[in-house]
Amino acid sequence: MRPFRTAAWMPIVFTLLPGTLSAGAPESGYRIVKTFPHDISAFTEGLEFRAGFFYESTGEYGSSTLRKVEVETGRVVQRLALSPSVFGEGLTVLNGQIVQLTYRGGLGFVYSQPDFRLQRTFRYEGEGWGLTNDGRTIYMTDGTSEIRCLDPLTLKELRRIQVHDGTAKIPFINELEFVRGEIWANVWRTEKIARISPKDGRVLGWVDLTGILPEADLHRADVMNGIAYDAMGDRLFVTGKYWPKVFEIKVVPKNTSRR
């Protein structure tokens, strides 16, 4: 999705979503477990954990990439540059394939996971933002308050779910991750993650990550974007666009010590 840069980025919540980010669902805090290095040149649009590595999609015209990254070191061990004409967006890994969106133009890519070889392309209407999957369905965002459900084989749209907290629709649903039976989503230009029911789009809870990136790192950073989950190790990772760090976190009750 479109970049949002300031000299020292700060989230703008009330301008975008007046009164909607705490419409009823309970809110949790976080504790940092460990910090890992992250390529500060990566405009992170998609992030997933698979077998000890991050798979990452980065954006911006002329510098969009698909990457395989060592978790502990942040070293990029495999990289594919996208055409300068496309803006890379969300990705998901399923059945030995990587599915990647682009921002505008309705063009998506399907790669072989081991070698990043392009297998085919596909089309969709509107913008492409985030992707995740639960092994049976691929979930896609487009910058609205809706999540599209796609067939993992044909990548055709099956249905949509409306993300809502009580009666309030939650727009700007962004990067996605499937965590313990829930869809977790960054909300663009906020420091909050929505925990969403894949059945009906209801927000089950919020994770407030306010202040997770130290002030010293804010001058080059853009918005929070990037959630990855290690299902085997039950580890949760978060990062952002042009962030120098990836954080492994635990979700804790609000107002519990963060570090």
Side-chain angles (χ1 to χ4, degrees):
M1 74 305 308
R2 64 198 62 76
F4 177 75
R5 299 295 303 276
T6 63
W9 174 75
M10 293 296 289
I12 299 178
V13 175
F14 297 107
T15 300
L16 282 163
L17 305 171
T20 63
L21 287 189
S22 56
E27 194 169 275
S28 301
Y30 68 92
R31 177 172 60 84
I32 296 175
V33 176
K34 196 171 181 180
T35 302
F36 304 95
H38 182 242
D39 181 2
I40 200 168
S41 71
F43 193 76
T44 304
E45 296 289 5
L47 190 71
E48 282 200 4
F49 178 95
R50 290 291 186 277
F53 293 91
F54 290 132
Y55 288 84
E56 184 173 17
S57 174
T58 71
E60 302 268 54
Y61 291 108
S63 56
S64 292
T65 63
L66 173 64
R67 305 173 175 205
K68 182 180 180 181
V69 181
E70 283 185 344
V71 174
E72 293 288 335
T73 67
R75 183 172 70 93
V76 178
V77 298
Q78 199 169 343
R79 182 181 186 276
L80 175 69
L82 274 61
S83 165
S85 65
V86 299
F87 191 121
E89 282 285 347
L91 94 170
T92 196
V93 183
L94 179 62
N95 298 329
Q97 296 182 319
I98 301 170
V99 182
Q100 184 183 35
L101 300 176
T102 60
Y103 176 30
R104 289 178 171 161
L107 177 65
F109 304 108
V110 180
Y111 308 93
S112 166
Q113 182 183 349
D115 56 14
F116 287 8
R117 185 183 299 274
L118 181 65
Q119 295 185 328
R120 63 188 175 102
T121 61
F122 64 100
R123 309 294 302 194
Y124 49 88
E125 301 240 339
E127 296 180 355
W129 283 43
L131 283 177
T132 192
N133 77 85
D134 63 3
R136 301 176 302 277
T137 301
I138 291 177
Y139 301 95
M140 170 185 167
T141 58
D142 57 12
T144 69
S145 59
E146 293 183 326
I147 295 177
R148 307 182 191 189
C149 302
L150 309 181
D151 182 290
L153 296 178
T154 66
L155 297 172
K156 298 295 185 182
E157 185 175 326
L158 302 173
R159 65 186 187 281
R160 298 190 183 196
I161 55 178
Q162 175 70 62
V163 180
H164 62 282
D165 187 354
T167 59
K169 295 180 181 179
I170 308 299
F172 303 114
I173 300 300
N174 202 347
E175 211 271 330
L176 301 176
E177 184 62 63
F178 202 81
V179 180
R180 307 184 201 103
E182 301 172 355
I183 300 171
W184 287 35
N186 288 120
V187 180
W188 186 57
R189 289 175 68 184
T190 81
E191 290 184 290
K192 294 193 177 184
I193 290 173
R195 297 173 36 234
I196 302 164
S197 166
K199 294 181 180 179
D200 58 13
R202 178 170 55 95
V203 175
L204 305 170
W206 295 95
V207 183
D208 185 356
L209 297 174
T210 299
I212 193 168
L213 190 66
E215 287 188 18
D217 295 322
L218 288 175
H219 66 290
R220 289 199 60 187
D222 207 297
V223 297
M224 173 177 290
N225 201 50
I227 310 168
Y229 181 59
D230 170 11
M232 294 292 291
D234 191 26
R235 295 187 296 167
L236 185 68
F237 306 91
V238 296
T239 191
K241 303 170 187 291
Y242 298 142
W243 283 27
K245 298 178 175 70
V246 174
F247 299 97
E248 180 187 343
I249 64 168
K250 288 290 186 184
V251 175
V252 298
K254 199 72 184 286
N255 301 319
T256 301
S257 177
R258 297 173 178 174
R259 300 177 188 273

